[in-house]
Amino acid sequence: MMMTVLLIIVGALIALFAIGVVSFKHPVASAVSLLVGFLLVGVFYLLYGAEFVAAVQVMVYAGGIMVLYLMGVLFTDNEWIHVTRQTHLQAWIGLVLILAFFAFFGHKLFHSEYPAIENVASQTVVQKENKAEEKLGYLKRETNPRSVSVKLFSDYLIPFEAASVLLTVAVVGGIFLAKKEV
Amino acid sequence: MDTLLNLWSTIESWMLAFPVVIYLVKIGILLGCVFAVVAYITLAERRLLGFYQSRLGPNRVGPLGLIQPVADGLKCFLKEDIVPLNSNPLLFRLAPVFAFFPPFAGFAVFTFALPWVMPNGRTYHYSVADVDLGVLFIMAISSLGIFGLILAGWSSGSKYPLFGSLRSASQMLAYEVPLTLSVISVVMMAGSFRLSDIVAAQQAYKFYFFIPCIIGFVVYFISSVAEMNRTPFDLPEGESEIIGFHTEYSGMRFAFFFVAEYANVVFISMLAPALFLGGYDIPFVNDLALYGAHPNIVSILGVCSYAAKSTIFALFVIWVRATFPRYRYDQLLKIGWLVLLPIALANLFVVAGIKLFLLK
């Protein structure tokens, strides 16, 4: 019960700050609300007991990517923001489409059953331990980096590698777009 | 003695009814200690710099100048708090808080000794929250400190603090990467993110991790000096010559940045012993065997050993400040990206090789 209330509060705050990101007129205000949003997503992961993902979320998104965003934003010219309109007539069509999208996925989310996925790859990985490590009990725990990396490099290897290819494509594309002459 | 024990068991039963109280008491003690250490490390640094430069340093307030930190604090407190007209008032007030909280929050996951055992058999741990992902938590929290600098520089509404904050932001970004990579080499040796596990691993291996990770230790030291914004990498502050991100700040808000900087020094000097120098392990003694005989003596000695190691590290940091001149900005970035980063990556391979082939 307590958990549900907390999840609803945090989820509502995330949604609020996400709206703030797109609706604030000032770019730095947008960036700061994006930062708070990232931190709150970390809290969301914590509430679900995924401490590892929460820490990585804060470290990578809040601590790394947001700094780059803010540095980019600081270089922008702040004079034009007061005269720019942020919406146009297509916004209404967009709103209708978004509502339809959420209705469709909400329906799918609540009215379908998901098959349990059996992962066997990680069970075949043999873990070697040296003499000193045999004394250390903590190596058997679930949140241990060893357990996390065994899962990551066996059961979830293909999504992991696919994400790395995606990131490489994004980096190359970014460099290509930023260059004036190729 | 008996009345004391009875009194204690009454307090204990009351505390066990409200476990939050234990945490609050621990947090209170920890924050009190950290604030005292931060106050006196400023004095120690000024006295030592005076010694290195053949002058006296502050010695007027109280015996040997021991009340100087109080005088400094009072002075900052009594000064006028100015918010520039051109600034963004909300972010201008928020930025010192962003700079202030990460080093203090990070202390929560430290373990300072093996647990203390009461006569009735209950054990008390020398830590607020010894979580599984301690090192990762520290890395995540300390990566947030940079927002204090960026927001302070931008919200001042003046050109020079803005440039100062951009300079500091790119410096801290550049040095955060090698710092994290050097810490990862220790995590790889220990196989855990929890700080007490890392110390336990060093006790089990019977050597401290600065021996296999010696390259990582050097990289850690250099990049943490840069992260703390201290000489020879003190371009963000540049107390007397360069205009830094906190130019528009005065009084108490400036003191927040100042205290945060020294809290960072204390923080790094407490983290380094846990990662590389065995933490609360007493050198040349088999702690665990002794702990079976006299737990409380080992606890107290462990705290002393930890304190001694971090004091030596902090004195070393002050010594470096007195010795080296400041780097130029392009040199600073080159050292970060082109020297320290490849070395830190190579160190990962070396440590992995040591762990795979030498330790069997």
Side-chain angles (χ1 to χ4, degrees), chain B residues 339-355:
Chain B
V339 181
L340 286 182
L341 183 59
I343 290 179
L345 280 173
N347 172 53
L348 275 186
F349 281 96
V350 170
V351 173
I354 289 175
K355 177 145 188 183

Side-chain angles (χ1 to χ4, degrees), chain A residues 126-143:
Chain A
V126 183
Q127 297 184 17
K128 271 199 231 163
E129 290 182 356
N130 57 40
K131 262 182 204 161
E133 284 186 339
E134 283 162 12
K135 290 186 227 159
L136 300 169
Y138 62 75
L139 288 173
K140 312 280 187 295
R141 276 205 308 264
E142 273 262 310
T143 48

Side-chain angles (χ1 to χ4, degrees), chain A residues 26 28-29 32 35-36 39 50-56 58-64 66-68 70-71 73-75 78 130-133 135-136 138-139 141 143-146, chain B residues 91 98 132-133 136-137 139-141 143-144 146-147 150-151 154 162-163 165-166 169-170 173 176 180 187-194 197-198 200-201 204-206 355 359-360:
Chain A
H26 205 289
V28 171
V32 171
L35 168 65
V36 180
L39 292 177
E51 289 98 354
F52 187 84
V53 187
V56 170
V58 172
M59 196 162 83
V60 173
Y61 285 95
M66 268 318 295
V67 176
L68 291 177
L70 262 179
M71 276 181 73
V73 165
L74 292 189
F75 281 116
N78 291 336
N130 57 40
K131 262 182 204 161
E133 284 186 339
K135 290 186 227 159
L136 300 169
Y138 62 75
L139 288 173
R141 276 205 308 264
T143 48
N144 194 269
R146 178 176 290 186
Chain B
L91 285 179
F98 260 109
D132 274 353
L133 297 166
L136 211 56
F137 173 81
M139 289 294 141
I141 284 289
S143 67
L144 295 180
I146 193 169
F147 288 109
I150 297 184
L151 292 179
W154 180 80
L162 180 64
F163 285 132
S165 76
L166 284 173
S170 50
L173 268 184
E176 206 169 280
T180 311
V187 173
M188 202 155 71
M189 278 302 291
S192 174
F193 284 118
R194 190 198 283 238
D197 285 348
I198 290 173
Y205 276 117
K206 295 201 175 61
K355 177 145 188 183
L359 303 170
K360 280 189 177 167

